[in-house]
Amino acid sequence: MVEKPTITPVVAELAARFAAEGKRLYLVGGSVRDAVLVRPTNDFDFTTDARPAEIQKLLSGWADAQWDTGIAFGTVGASKKGEIIEITTFRADVYDGVTRNPEVTFGDSIDGDLVRRDFTVNAMAFDIAASQFVDPTGGLQAAREGVLDTPATPQESFGDDPLRMLRAARFVSQLGFTAAPRVVEAMRSMAGELARITPERVQVELSKLLCGAHPRRGIELMVETGLADVVLPELTAMKLEIDEHHQHKDVFDHSLVVLEQAIDLEEVDQSPDLVLRIAALLHDIGKPATRKFESGGGVSFHHHEVVGAKMVRKRLRALRYSKEITEDVAKLVYLHLRFHGYGNGEWTDSAVRRYVTDAGDLLTRLHKLVRADCTTRNKRKASLLRRTYDSLEERIARIEAEEDLARVRPDLDGNEIMKLLGLAPGREVGAAWKFLKELRLDRGPLDRDEAEAALLDWAREQGITPPAR
């Protein structure tokens, strides 16, 4: 028994309104697919044989509001009792083969509209008035079998829009499906076509892939077919490396395990953490560039976290990620090895303060990344690493409770510094502030007399003569 989409009273009322005028209204796209797969969805799109002007007329007097921002593509939007509705006239688009942009053409049949869609599981419709599925390309069977295939040949579909190849990897991640052999082969032979797509569109699909339920499967498909060579060539490079611990996994496989373990540490009731997931996948991105074969057969990757942070910035900027996401991921990559200097707890309180201060608001994510980075099969070693990190977190909690580490600032503010040293605003004040900040990290909170004495000593060393007190 196939699960039918849930039709709200508003949608049923709208379909009846269309039927009264001799027009059909179909639910299409992700909401139909997700109903079949019994997955939650909030994506409700409709298609109809009515032309845009007719849609507007049918909505007038019924909808609480309507808008026509997508009318050039045949889409009219409306709201009714808090529900958002987008209705698009049947499409029969033709791609020009050069810009990869479709020439918008309206169609006359639901079947014609569906066969132009990307994958068969997305090429199903639900006739609301008749309460039945329309499935001209076998989407229901593909959904039952967990197979991702195209309505037309993959070559035709991907030739129309190469981004569909990356969407294939995205749906493998989101749905847990397996791409049909002919789809994989077409992706492999046409991967270079993806270079025609703007970085912004690529980034959107990649982010959705990484936030899917099965990102490892999507990433592996990207690497297998060569899409990664276009989108994230660093992934393929990692596949060629062994890691410094002589584990059975290569760096690529290790990174996928870290990604999966980081996902396991995400909060159950929150959305997927894109920053954490990118950082987990790319935390060892710098290893290929820093690999060194040591005498005796060992392999080292010294300073790969430093090189990796730079590589992350370059790649994420190229993919048009926001500055905030780019810098957050780069910082996590840069800091992910810091913990390994902790040993058995040899860090001073000063080192703990610096760890917390350097991580800033990324501390919780850094905790998760460091824990996820433990992929050893040696149970004793894994247990020791967990206990050691537990002890670090306990120390952080203790010092935070005592010193309010989240707001570590110098014991004197800028105005007090200028008054004490007789300075006007400028670089010298900034240098003094930085000195006091470092002193605060090293020694913890100081009382006012201690802070002033230390600042005066520093000022004299810098050749600054404070005014007589």
Side-chain angles (χ1 to χ4, degrees):
M1 182 68 178
V2 177
E3 188 75 21
K4 293 183 178 181
T6 300
I7 302 302
T8 67
V10 166
V11 172
E13 184 180 323
L14 181 62
R17 190 175 180 89
F18 271 65
E21 296 297 321
K23 300 298 179 182
R24 308 303 290 266
L25 187 68
Y26 300 87
L27 189 62
V28 290
S31 55
V32 180
R33 177 199 67 221
D34 290 341
V36 171
L37 297 174
V38 195
R39 297 175 77 242
T41 185
N42 56 4
D43 176 23
F44 295 100
D45 294 314
F46 301 87
T47 190
T48 179
D49 54 345
R51 293 300 194 255
E54 295 175 304
I55 298 173
Q56 289 178 310
K57 184 177 180 180
L58 283 163
L59 291 173
S60 294
W62 177 82
D64 297 330
Q66 66 168 290
W67 50 91
D68 61 2
T69 51
I71 200 164
F73 300 96
T75 301
V76 178
S79 64
K80 176 75 172 182
K81 296 180 180 178
E83 293 187 33
I84 304 299
I85 297 161
E86 287 198 342
I87 307 171
T88 302
T89 300
F90 294 157
R91 298 271 291 272
D93 298 345
V94 176
Y95 288 78
D96 61 21
V98 178
T99 66
R100 308 295 172 177
N101 294 323
E103 298 173 3
V104 178
T105 305
F106 298 137
D108 297 311
S109 72
I110 183 62
D111 284 9
D113 178 273
L114 295 175
V115 297
R116 56 168 285 277
R117 294 175 181 260
D118 53 4
F119 301 104
T120 58
V121 291
N122 296 331
M124 298 180 286
F126 186 74
D127 186 331
I128 299 168
S131 188
Q132 63 184 21
F133 286 97
V134 180
D135 181 25
T137 68
L140 286 171
Q141 186 64 27
R144 292 189 190 101
E145 297 175 356
V147 174
L148 195 70
D149 205 349
T150 52
T153 67
Q155 289 77 9
E156 290 177 87
S157 182
F158 300 155
D160 282 346
D161 185 1
L163 187 65
R164 288 174 173 175
M165 292 185 284
L166 190 54
R167 284 170 63 84
R170 187 250 284 190
F171 284 121
V172 164
S173 169
Q174 288 183 325
L175 305 177
F177 279 22
T178 299
R182 69 172 191 160
V183 169
V184 174
E185 182 55 37
M187 291 170 68
R188 187 178 288 118
S189 64
M190 299 178 69
E193 294 293 307
L194 191 59
R196 297 174 179 266
I197 304 301
T198 63
E200 290 82 0
R201 294 182 70 202
V202 168
Q203 181 246 103
V204 169
E205 291 299 327
L206 180 62
S207 296
K208 290 179 179 178
L209 184 160
L210 289 171
C211 289
H214 313 277
R216 176 173 186 147
R217 298 181 64 171
I219 292 163
E220 288 176 330
L221 181 59
M222 286 177 59
V223 172
E224 175 190 354
T225 57
L227 291 184
D229 293 339
V230 180
V231 179
L232 274 175
E234 296 82 1
L235 290 179
T236 306
M238 286 194 292
K239 192 173 177 63
L240 302 177
E241 309 302 323
I242 61 171
D243 68 19
E244 73 270 33
H245 302 298
H246 305 289
Q247 299 177 62
H248 68 290
K249 307 182 186 78
D250 60 21
V251 173
F252 174 69
D253 190 61
H254 164 75
S255 298
L256 293 182
V257 173
V258 173
L259 171 61
E260 291 177 318
Q261 294 186 165
I263 291 171
D264 289 341
L265 295 173
E266 290 179 348
E267 304 300 327
V268 176
D269 58 345
Q270 294 183 8
S271 301
D273 189 337
L274 178 61
V275 167
L276 177 63
R277 293 188 182 200
I278 298 175
L281 179 64
L282 301 182
H283 75 285
D284 280 343
I285 191 176
K287 281 189 172 180
T290 57
R291 180 175 62 169
K292 181 180 179 182
F293 296 102
E294 305 288 354
S295 59
V299 182
S300 66
F301 302 93
H302 296 307
H303 305 301
H304 75 267
E305 76 282 11
V306 178
V307 173
K310 294 178 180 178
M311 293 174 68
V312 160
R313 285 191 179 92
K314 182 177 180 180
R315 177 54 55 197
L316 297 190
R317 286 169 181 164
L319 288 169
R320 304 295 192 270
Y321 276 98
S322 69
K323 181 178 179 180
E324 181 181 15
I325 289 177
T326 298
E327 290 305 314
D328 283 353
V329 174
K331 181 182 283 189
L332 287 170
V333 171
Y334 179 75
L335 293 174
H336 84 275
L337 282 185
R338 179 82 64 87
F339 162 72
H340 294 286
Y342 186 71
N344 293 316
E346 289 89 352
W347 275 5
T348 63
D349 281 357
S350 171
V352 175
R353 291 188 197 99
R354 290 180 184 279
Y355 188 72
V356 173
T357 302
D358 288 349
D361 58 6
L362 294 173
L363 183 63
T364 299
R365 284 180 171 132
L366 183 58
H367 288 333
K368 293 175 182 177
L369 178 59
V370 173
R371 289 183 180 278
D373 196 22
C374 175
T375 61
T376 178
R377 286 187 169 185
N378 185 318
K379 293 183 179 179
R380 180 176 174 277
K381 185 177 180 181
S383 178
L384 177 61
L385 285 170
R386 282 194 297 271
R387 290 198 306 272
T388 304
Y389 206 83
D390 286 343
S391 74
L392 173 59
E393 289 201 58
E394 289 167 3
R395 285 185 66 187
I396 290 172
R398 174 181 61 78
I399 297 173
E400 281 183 329
E402 294 172 355
E403 303 179 14
D404 192 13
L405 285 182
R407 291 188 291 273
V408 169
R409 298 182 63 80
D411 296 285
L412 303 176
D413 64 24
N415 289 328
E416 291 170 320
I417 291 170
M418 288 188 289
K419 182 178 180 180
L420 183 65
L421 300 185
L423 297 175
R427 292 182 180 179
E428 289 179 321
V429 176
W433 191 94
K434 184 176 180 181
F435 163 75
L436 287 175
K437 173 74 176 292
E438 293 296 314
L439 189 66
R440 171 74 168 75
L441 289 170
D442 284 337
R443 294 169 53 181
L446 305 177
D447 62 35
R448 186 175 186 85
D449 289 342
E450 288 179 307
E452 289 184 353
L455 180 61
L456 289 170
D457 288 343
W458 172 87
R460 294 185 185 99
E461 291 174 2
Q462 303 303 311
I464 300 170
T465 303
R469 301 181 67 188

